[in-house]
Amino acid sequence: MTTTPVTTGTTGATDRVIGYSRAINEALAEEMRRDERVWMMGQDIGRLGGVFGLTRGLQEEFGPMRVRDTAINETFIVGGAAGAALAGTIPVVELQFADFLFTAADEIFHKLAKWRYMHGGQFTLPVVVRLPSGVVGGAGAEHSQSLETIAMHVPGLKVAVPATPSDAKGLLKAAIRDPDPVLFFEHKGLYRVKGPVPESDEHVVPFGSARVARAGNDLTVVATGLMVDRALAAAEQLAPQGIDVEVIDPRTLVPLDIDTIVASVERTHRLMVVHEASRTAGFGAEIATQVQERAFFSLDAPVWRVCGTDTPLPQDPELEQACIPSTDEIVAAARALAAI
Amino acid sequence: MTTTPVTTGTTGATDRVIGYSRAINEALAEEMRRDERVWMMGQDIGRLGGVFGLTRGLQEEFGPMRVRDTAINETFIVGGAAGAALAGTIPVVELQFADFLFTAADEIFHKLAKWRYMHGGQFTLPVVVRLPSGVVGGAGAEHSQSLETIAMHVPGLKVAVPATPSDAKGLLKAAIRDPDPVLFFEHKGLYRVKGPVPESDEHVVPFGSARVARAGNDLTVVATGLMVDRALAAAEQLAPQGIDVEVIDPRTLVPLDIDTIVASVERTHRLMVVHEASRTAGFGAEIATQVQERAFFSLDAPVWRVCGTDTPLPQDPELEQACIPSTDEIVAAARALAAI
Amino acid sequence: MTNDPGPDREQLEREVYRKVVTIRFAELRIRDHVEKEGFGGFWHPGIGQEGLQVGAVSAMQDDDYLYYAHRGLGYAFAKGMPLEPLFGDLLGRASGSTRGKGGGTVHFADASRHVLGQGGTLGSSFVMGAGTAAASQLLGDGRVTVVFFGDGASGRGTWHEAALQASVWKLPVVWICENNGWALSARFTEQSPTEHVADRAPAYGMPGVIVDGQDAMAVHDATAEAIDRARRGEGPTLIEAKTLRIRGHYEGDRQPYRDDPVLGDEIPNDPVHRLGESIPDDVRRGIDAEARTQVEQAFDAALAAPRADRSVIFEDVWA
Amino acid sequence: MTNDPGPDREQLEREVYRKVVTIRFAELRIRDHVEKEGFGGFWHPGIGQEGLQVGAVSAMQDDDYLYYAHRGLGYAFAKGMPLEPLFGDLLGRASGSTRGKGGGTVHFADASRHVLGQGGTLGSSFVMGAGTAAASQLLGDGRVTVVFFGDGASGRGTWHEAALQASVWKLPVVWICENNGWALSARFTEQSPTEHVADRAPAYGMPGVIVDGQDAMAVHDATAEAIDRARRGEGPTLIEAKTLRIRGHYEGDRQPYRDDPVLGDEIPNDPVHRLGESIPDDVRRGIDAEARTQVEQAFDAALAAPRADRSVIFEDVWA
Ligand SMILES: Cc1ncc(C[n+]2csc(CCOP(=O)(O)OP(=O)(O)O)c2C)c(N)n1
Ligand SMILES: Cc1ncc(C[n+]2csc(CCOP(=O)(O)OP(=O)(O)O)c2C)c(N)n1
Ligand SMILES: [Mg+2]
Ligand SMILES: [Mg+2]
């Protein structure tokens, strides 16, 4: 079942509590103010402000040339961004649904990922592709997927998976400032979630630094996106049962901060990875494999995964929730794993 | 460095020694003779017989309507195959390079993989997409990739990775007879390799049954495609050093015969996965993870991977070989792993 | 069904009217439900576009293949699908044509009636439709494939790849563009350098026909001609039916992006009225009453049907 | 460089001749190498198509952007890239423009000369080129982007998406189709329902210009006009240069798929001869001799250069 919006993270002195959507919108506005070369294109992002409202007000402030509505042409949106980057601009483009990366896959996995390499490092491709991701309520098999693992497998793309408003803002700002192409997976189920965000134009979260969302000693749980809050909720349920869970959110999959995860497992001796993406060949397998490669003799039990089903996602909003991990499933799995 | 073509497998009484290409060509011809609904389309497959010569002679035998040359339109080749399957035919299509699945990704990962599911099981999509895969000599970053893991991650697609002429023929025949869509990854580097193939129109290799290419007791090596021969060569080098390697070729990744792998590891207590695909989030991670999930306490050492580099592939034929596992690397890694 | 004058024509017109008015009631019933009960997912209303949908499909034979678009149920109903499974899909019921699973606002199917379904990515049916037609050509089964799409979808590259190949191969396929002037928040005039989608037909060596989409019988006739042409082996035709998007992109869309007045409930050039004109009042009233009852009963039945069981999640991944 | 008559024109013609003949010698030198030494990868000869490549690029300003196609080196050389790095790429040398790594037969680049490279998937430069032009429009830098492509590549959907958007946005981009009648083993006539690629231009609301691709100066003039138009903000133009594929798809292709006689070494309507006609013999001989030497020296230097070190494999993945 859907979790209701919750506030995550601790509030600092100068933090405001704002929504994940608002945080993204602020990052876009601030970076466009900071650097004239930054611009955006995508379907319905201008006059409408985006199908999820993420770009609201930006066309008013920056005009129709810097916040540009395209036709229904994903290969142009992404491939055009690659070409525009070669000409000295910094395009931040939106696909309406992360799933649509398949309609521009040559542009993402060949052009963005490899152009620099193929041409001997003569160019940089500072492009950000914003990808509203994950299950959100009846959007169906081609509008609900979590496809970040594919981006992790193809070398040349950085991959962000923010789980909180603060990270959404800070990672997006980092992505825009990064000279490399970034696939930025925003979770649609988090858009309305609120949380503390530092009051600063320079709130930039570096790629490759995991966040320990909850410290614990008995079991390490790695989770991303919507699953971070569910893992935290599970941890709260498990604490009174004597299972003290450490929850780690890697925040970016490329680069991946495996050191933080390994260090945690070396203390807890148990690891579980939770992700919404379908189980088989998902990024949970990569994390599991790296951890056992590096800390095999620290592990007291196998690494477990709690993941999305190996099925397409049904369109029904109730059925689709049954395809991704619930807090209850995480609790049950964690208890069983802790008992091994 | 490139291995020279070798003969793999044992020869049965009624076997002939033929090439991997020839085996594929025979499978196509036999299945088209057997079932009128089977037909093919793709670029240059008719009059030319395919850029790699795989479909030579087929247009002569079956005519230009059943072996049909298309324009340069990968979305049509795959999406059209999906539509043609709905109308009661069995299309076997070729993309000139496996990499081009990115130019038809919506058609592969959405249409082929999900159409049946989205429409409540009313349709079957018996489509085979033939995908010449892997490094072959100076073809470059967008013509040399091993992308089978992506197909493994997206539910709804079966995935074959034949390593021998016999399996190429038997699996292709199984693929054509399968009611589900199959991505058939042929390794370009194996096209000229010869091996024994049963003399029978009914040589069908079932999906989901791994082949133990070499029995051994000290270490299990799982390898696919071009890597099977390298793993076998490594095993021969290791045997006199007292390391008896079992080499398992899963032959299909979806479905995956994990039972055979787990059973082997329960005897050898050590596992190494070798693949040409780039390391991170490759299928080696999935196999490693499943094995430690199911046989953690049988493992005496971490599961290791010997894989392609996490880089795009350079176009230079020498440099590209340095990006994929060599026999020497497999030998070195196996020795180190056996010593843990 | 062909374009005869005389009694056959009259019967055809009544049948088209019956289907159009049934769909209209269905559209209104769904709107009512969405407004009052809310709804899991999005509903893209086809209200006002029913005439062209029914008109075109009425020119198809039973075993011709249909790929519909996302705006309403008119296409599928016109092809013979009963209302209950359509509502069932919409409401996520086990009685839906997709057994409540793949269903919802854009997916329904009926293999027996050759309603082949729809992809969630716009424009994916261009290539699929051409492929279906290629199969018919190969099998010599005499079937024609009809593919509906919006003006927005016409910009996708799959159009180009499918249309070139279909034309060169002379495939039996008919493309019907419902040009309602909008693609979500974007006006067609902002997405197209030419005035009409049909202006692109010569690039593909195929006829481009523009027809008034509010005139169901005109769309029927244009489609019948294109289908005949396709069946004769002369290749594809591009039909552009000019229509209007009466409601927003989805039911509930307040259309803040519009600078012109949003259309009210009044449907300009309403296909229902237009078709109704030539039908005697009492006959028309009879048809209306029956249609209304049919819709109410089917919707109630769908509402009363059970939701799909979770076990269906794992079904139909593999054949 | 504009289309003046008089002394400027004469100088331009000589410069075009010099570049065309240099590329011709380069083509012959490479063929020789491929035949004698073999070659890692494929070489797609541009022999016979050099005239149109050089003619078109000669109409570009230094800071205009170039996306070339896979047939030969003419485009890049004409844009000012020296021969040695081009040969270096071809031969996998560290001295290649891509440092011997991404190089080979289809990738080379020169950021300083705005030679932006090429994708291995045909048609990917349609969308990239439109994007580069969109950046120029945004920055107001006055630059024009020129995109070369083959008749086969014209069938890819990326063309449709890029061309529609470029036309609606009036982007400063010029599309140049080298129609050599073949896409690998497929004749253009089997891939296109229209006689000319340029017949598709009206669908995109842009001018479509057909020009004799063996006439370098005619291609120059057509390109100059299209570039002017683009620079004035009037949007894209589609130029179709009719040419011939003299050798097979790749060097060594025996073209078993052809039912007509394969072209020999004689180049019909040879652009070299055509350009040479108006140049006095002694001047021409001087240019030829210099070009020949230049090619020999550059090729020898490339051959002598070291191969790239394995360490480059891990470079340039990230900035
Ligand atoms: C490839 C793809 N891009 C974007 C979308 C999101 N989307 C759904 S409907 C729509 C507008 C479609 O406009 P049109 O084709 O004219 O149909 P209409 O809604 O007007 O009937 C968009 C952009 C999509 N489903 N698929
Ligand atoms: C998307 C894609 N499909 C197929 C190919 C394989 N391929 C390379 S060149 C070629 C023929 C190209 O023909 P054309 O565009 O006319 O150029 P020409 O070779 O005649 O110069 C093909 C099919 C490719 N590189 N990319
Ligand atoms: Mg529309
Ligand atoms: Mg050509």
Side-chain angles (χ1 to χ4, degrees), chain A residues 51 96-97 138-139 143 315, chain C residues 23 26-27 30-31 34 39-50 53 68-75 90 104-108 118-120 122 178 180 183-184 245-253 257:
Chain A
V51 279
Q96 281 188 345
F97 291 83
H143 287 68
Q315 182 136 350
Chain C
I23 287 298
E27 286 278 353
I30 295 167
R31 178 194 294 182
V34 175
F39 179 72
F42 288 99
W43 164 244
H44 299 291
I47 196 159
Q49 299 182 209
E50 311 95 332
Q53 294 172 2
Y68 55 85
H70 59 279
R71 207 150 277 293
L73 314 164
Y75 335 81
L90 197 75
T105 54
V106 283
H107 307 290
F108 35 77
Q118 188 181 240
L122 293 168
E178 301 181 79
N180 60 12
L184 228 162
R245 197 183 71 187
I246 300 300
R247 307 287 288 184
H249 179 58
Y250 56 90
E251 191 57 52
D253 177 6
Y257 45 82

Side-chain angles (χ1 to χ4, degrees), chain C residues 8 64 73 97 117-118 166 229-230 294 318:
Chain C
D8 281 0
D64 287 338
L73 314 164
S97 73
Q118 188 181 240
R229 186 171 181 273
Q294 197 192 345
W318 309 111

